[in-house]
Amino acid sequence: MSSIQVLDKEFVPFISKAQIAESIQKLAKEINQDFEGKKPLFLGVLNGSFMFASDLFKEITIDAEITFIKLASYIGTESSGNVLTTIGLDKDLEGRHLIIVEDIIDTGRTMTKFLQQLENDGLASISIATLLIKPEALAYNIQAKYVGFSIENKFVVGYGLDYDGYGRNIPEIYQIKE
Ligand code: IMP
Ligand code: MG
């Protein structure tokens, strides 16, 4: 595999389709065990998590629901700072086991703000499943229970993740070339 161009930036191959698939199988297996009989509600955070949520949910064999929300806008290659309000959360969360599905946790700001909003919803439990996490960028205390890959603090695209809206359709993950 060689490098690719997305808009004005060059990216190099980073995580392959096979590695992603293997990681998702592992995560799903854990979730299937941990939430057996609990009828968890998966909550995909759009747009970035749509591919991960879809592939992960296909590996879920226990009774479970999935719904999606929209939260933050991310401009360019730097976190925009302001997290927008939650759009589309129409489920009653009272007593539910929620599994938030994210593409990537960068500073953790998005997740922190969102978790604050969920505080009074009477959830039975909240868990975070994220395909990627950048531990060096983390500025908030976020405990993600299900993590696909811990990666270095460099910008990535593909598999749902975008650079200014583009690159989401790339089936594997690419990292910015420096
Ligand atoms: P945080 O609030 O800083 O944790 O940023 C989280 C959000 O920023 C993610 O849900 C992504 O949408 C976006 N993001 C963070 N890092 C990257 C990246 O390397 N590539 C693409 N999007 C990213
Ligand atoms: Mg996102």
Side-chain angles (χ1 to χ4, degrees):
M1 285 200 290
S2 48
S3 75
I4 55 158
Q5 184 92 17
V6 179
L7 302 177
D8 61 338
K9 297 222 187 319
E10 213 177 320
F11 293 84
V12 293
F14 186 47
I15 305 173
S16 71
K17 272 191 214 179
Q19 287 173 303
I20 294 170
E22 194 193 346
S23 170
I24 288 175
Q25 273 177 20
K26 239 183 79 201
L27 296 179
K29 200 177 160 197
E30 285 177 45
I31 293 172
N32 285 327
Q33 285 167 0
D34 294 350
F35 291 89
E36 172 85 68
K38 292 183 170 170
K39 294 192 163 70
L41 173 63
F42 286 73
L43 184 68
V45 182
L46 296 173
N47 296 321
S49 79
F50 77 97
M51 266 190 208
F52 174 48
S54 163
D55 286 343
L56 179 68
F57 202 58
K58 277 182 263 180
E59 302 288 334
I60 297 302
T61 51
I62 56 172
D63 286 344
E65 290 185 272
I66 190 165
T67 190
F68 291 88
I69 53 156
K70 208 158 178 177
L71 278 185
S73 65
Y74 196 85
I75 299 162
T77 54
E78 256 184 276
S79 215
S80 64
N82 282 318
V83 176
L84 306 179
T85 35
T86 311
I87 303 163
L89 190 53
D90 52 7
K91 280 264 174 200
D92 183 7
L93 301 181
E94 179 89 41
R96 298 299 303 261
H97 293 274
L98 195 70
I99 302 173
I100 302 170
V101 182
E102 257 286 27
D103 51 352
I104 186 165
I105 296 175
D106 186 11
T107 64
R109 185 192 285 118
T110 310
M111 194 51 67
T112 301
K113 295 249 159 109
F114 183 51
L115 290 174
Q116 284 165 359
Q117 291 185 23
L118 293 174
E119 258 166 27
N120 300 318
D121 287 340
L123 283 156
S125 72
I126 304 179
S127 309
I128 299 169
T130 187
L131 181 64
L132 306 169
I133 194 163
K134 292 177 179 170
E136 295 156 39
L138 215 55
Y140 295 79
N141 182 25
I142 292 290
Q143 312 289 338
K145 187 157 185 210
Y146 307 99
V147 176
F149 302 90
S150 269
I151 63 169
E152 59 190 316
N153 192 9
K154 287 187 184 174
F155 195 77
V156 292
V157 290
Y159 197 71
L161 291 123
D162 71 305
Y163 165 47
D164 268 358
Y166 290 86
R168 294 194 197 275
N169 50 324
I170 302 162
E172 49 278 308
I173 296 170
Y174 280 72
Q175 186 180 59
I176 198 144
K177 188 175 179 179
E178 283 171 342

XYZ file of all heavy atoms in Angstrom, residues 112-146:
273
model
N -16.362 13.938 27.455
C -16.593 14.498 28.786
C -17.875 15.327 28.805
O -18.718 15.167 29.684
C -15.396 15.365 29.227
O -14.241 14.534 29.225
C -15.595 15.934 30.615
N -18.013 16.199 27.809
C -19.224 17.046 27.724
C -20.466 16.170 27.583
O -21.504 16.429 28.184
C -19.123 17.995 26.521
C -18.002 19.011 26.649
C -18.532 20.411 26.835
C -17.486 21.304 27.469
N -16.931 22.283 26.579
N -20.358 15.154 26.757
C -21.514 14.288 26.530
C -21.887 13.509 27.786
O -23.054 13.403 28.140
C -21.254 13.349 25.353
C -22.429 12.479 25.021
C -23.686 13.032 24.831
C -22.286 11.110 24.907
C -24.785 12.232 24.537
C -23.379 10.308 24.607
C -24.628 10.874 24.424
N -20.874 12.984 28.476
C -21.133 12.233 29.710
C -21.815 13.115 30.754
O -22.692 12.658 31.486
C -19.830 11.647 30.273
C -19.198 10.505 29.465
C -17.840 10.114 30.039
C -20.110 9.290 29.413
N -21.442 14.393 30.790
C -22.089 15.328 31.723
C -23.576 15.445 31.424
O -24.407 15.497 32.314
C -21.416 16.710 31.649
C -20.073 16.754 32.349
C -19.248 17.986 31.988
O -19.673 18.816 31.186
N -18.065 18.097 32.582
N -23.897 15.464 30.137
C -25.309 15.569 29.735
C -26.119 14.335 30.135
O -27.332 14.404 30.278
C -25.426 15.741 28.221
C -24.936 17.078 27.715
C -25.194 17.248 26.235
O -26.065 16.617 25.675
N -24.412 18.110 25.603
N -25.444 13.203 30.263
C -26.148 11.948 30.555
C -26.345 11.713 32.049
O -27.062 10.799 32.458
C -25.378 10.760 29.973
C -25.296 10.661 28.458
C -24.383 9.507 28.073
C -26.672 10.487 27.827
N -25.695 12.561 32.854
C -25.655 12.336 34.301
C -27.017 12.078 34.945
O -27.131 11.242 35.826
C -24.983 13.523 35.004
C -23.555 13.229 35.398
C -22.780 14.486 35.775
O -23.408 15.465 36.229
O -21.551 14.483 35.597
N -28.024 12.790 34.512
C -29.323 12.699 35.197
C -30.344 11.816 34.481
O -31.533 11.904 34.736
C -29.900 14.103 35.388
C -28.982 14.973 36.223
O -28.430 14.511 37.220
N -28.779 16.205 35.797
N -29.874 10.978 33.582
C -30.810 10.180 32.807
C -31.134 8.817 33.414
O -31.853 8.026 32.813
C -30.294 9.993 31.371
C -30.408 11.275 30.559
O -31.200 12.146 30.964
O -29.722 11.403 29.535
N -30.607 8.526 34.588
C -30.943 7.292 35.294
C -30.441 6.026 34.620
O -31.075 4.967 34.706
N -29.302 6.123 33.967
C -28.741 4.950 33.291
C -28.271 3.894 34.289
O -27.784 4.231 35.373
C -27.568 5.376 32.410
C -27.963 6.048 31.100
C -26.864 6.940 30.585
C -28.320 4.983 30.062
N -28.405 2.621 33.930
C -27.908 1.536 34.776
C -26.386 1.481 34.708
O -25.711 1.218 35.703
C -28.510 0.209 34.337
N -25.833 1.721 33.507
C -24.379 1.785 33.354
C -24.025 2.499 32.063
O -24.824 2.549 31.129
C -23.760 0.381 33.357
O -24.074 -0.302 32.147
N -22.826 3.062 32.042
C -22.320 3.698 30.822
C -20.941 3.135 30.529
O -20.062 3.144 31.400
C -22.179 5.231 30.978
C -23.502 5.875 31.392
C -21.665 5.849 29.677
C -23.414 7.383 31.596
N -20.746 2.625 29.319
C -19.428 2.159 28.892
C -19.086 2.841 27.587
O -19.967 3.215 26.818
C -19.423 0.647 28.661
O -19.961 -0.014 29.771
N -17.795 2.974 27.349
C -17.347 3.598 26.102
C -16.592 2.575 25.268
O -15.686 1.907 25.764
C -16.431 4.809 26.390
C -17.189 5.869 27.192
C -15.887 5.397 25.087
C -16.312 6.971 27.752
N -16.998 2.456 24.005
C -16.251 1.646 23.036
C -15.720 2.596 21.980
O -16.488 3.277 21.304
C -17.160 0.601 22.399
N -14.415 2.672 21.863
C -13.824 3.550 20.847
C -12.821 2.758 20.022
O -12.057 1.953 20.563
C -13.185 4.806 21.491
O -12.764 5.709 20.458
C -11.991 4.469 22.380
N -12.858 2.981 18.725
C -11.915 2.261 17.876
C -10.496 2.731 18.156
O -9.575 1.929 18.251
C -12.266 2.470 16.397
C -11.358 1.736 15.418
C -11.478 0.221 15.576
C -11.663 2.140 13.985
N -10.336 4.050 18.320
C -9.007 4.622 18.505
C -8.975 5.539 19.721
O -9.974 6.178 20.047
C -8.607 5.452 17.273
C -8.675 4.779 15.908
C -8.505 5.826 14.807
C -7.613 3.704 15.781
N -7.816 5.589 20.356
C -7.604 6.581 21.416
C -6.182 7.111 21.288
O -5.265 6.375 20.913
C -7.892 5.989 22.822
C -8.012 7.097 23.866
C -6.859 4.954 23.225
C -8.692 6.661 25.165
N -6.020 8.419 21.556
C -4.681 9.031 21.517
C -4.301 9.422 22.938
O -4.574 10.542 23.374
C -4.712 10.288 20.639
C -4.928 10.057 19.153
C -5.008 11.410 18.437
C -5.193 11.264 16.942
N -5.512 12.574 16.305
N -3.677 8.508 23.690
C -3.389 8.764 25.109
C -2.595 10.049 25.350
O -2.817 10.735 26.343
C -2.583 7.537 25.542
C -2.951 6.478 24.566
C -3.206 7.181 23.261
N -1.685 10.386 24.439
C -0.864 11.602 24.635
C -1.685 12.879 24.511
O -1.293 13.929 25.021
C 0.259 11.674 23.594
C 1.284 10.585 23.694
C 1.983 10.373 22.349
O 2.256 11.363 21.640
O 2.223 9.198 22.003
N -2.803 12.800 23.802
C -3.633 13.992 23.583
C -4.686 14.165 24.659
O -5.283 15.229 24.805
C -4.307 13.912 22.219
N -4.898 13.109 25.426
C -5.970 13.089 26.420
C -5.797 14.190 27.478
O -4.795 14.250 28.156
C -5.996 11.712 27.100
C -7.340 11.135 27.512
C -8.305 11.079 26.330
C -7.152 9.740 28.082
N -6.797 15.066 27.587
C -6.731 16.164 28.546
C -7.845 16.062 29.587
O -7.965 16.901 30.464
C -6.805 17.491 27.819
N -8.676 15.060 29.441
C -9.778 14.841 30.382
C -9.685 13.408 30.904
O -9.093 12.549 30.244
C -11.138 15.044 29.695
C -11.363 16.466 29.240
C -10.772 16.931 28.075
C -12.160 17.333 29.985
C -10.963 18.245 27.652
C -12.365 18.630 29.574
C -11.761 19.088 28.404
O -11.958 20.371 27.999
N -10.297 13.176 32.046
C -10.231 11.844 32.642
C -11.330 10.941 32.069
O -12.438 10.904 32.584
C -10.341 11.967 34.165
C -10.224 10.622 34.843
O -9.625 9.689 34.289
N -10.795 10.499 36.027
N -11.006 10.257 30.996
C -11.972 9.392 30.321
C -11.552 7.935 30.491
O -10.399 7.584 30.227
C -12.017 9.710 28.801
C -12.620 11.097 28.566
C -12.786 8.658 28.028
C -14.090 11.181 28.855
N -12.493 7.106 30.946
C -12.211 5.681 31.048
C -12.943 4.950 29.926
O -14.145 4.741 30.034
C -12.696 5.125 32.397
C -12.287 5.941 33.622
C -10.800 5.831 33.923
O -10.147 4.879 33.498
N -10.261 6.801 34.633
N -12.230 4.600 28.880
C -12.847 3.833 27.798
C -12.572 2.354 28.061
O -11.415 1.930 28.143
C -12.299 4.256 26.457
N -13.647 1.580 28.214
C -13.492 0.173 28.580
C -13.098 -0.678 27.370
O -12.364 -1.655 27.489
C -14.799 -0.332 29.181
C -14.691 -1.730 29.745
C -15.747 -2.010 30.792
C -15.518 -3.377 31.417
N -16.764 -4.010 31.851
N -13.628 -0.329 26.205
C -13.360 -1.119 25.008
C -12.619 -0.252 23.983
O -13.200 0.641 23.378
C -14.685 -1.639 24.422
C -15.516 -2.366 25.459
C -16.571 -1.724 26.105
C -15.197 -3.667 25.835
C -17.311 -2.380 27.081
C -15.929 -4.327 26.821
C -16.978 -3.679 27.430
O -17.703 -4.326 28.409
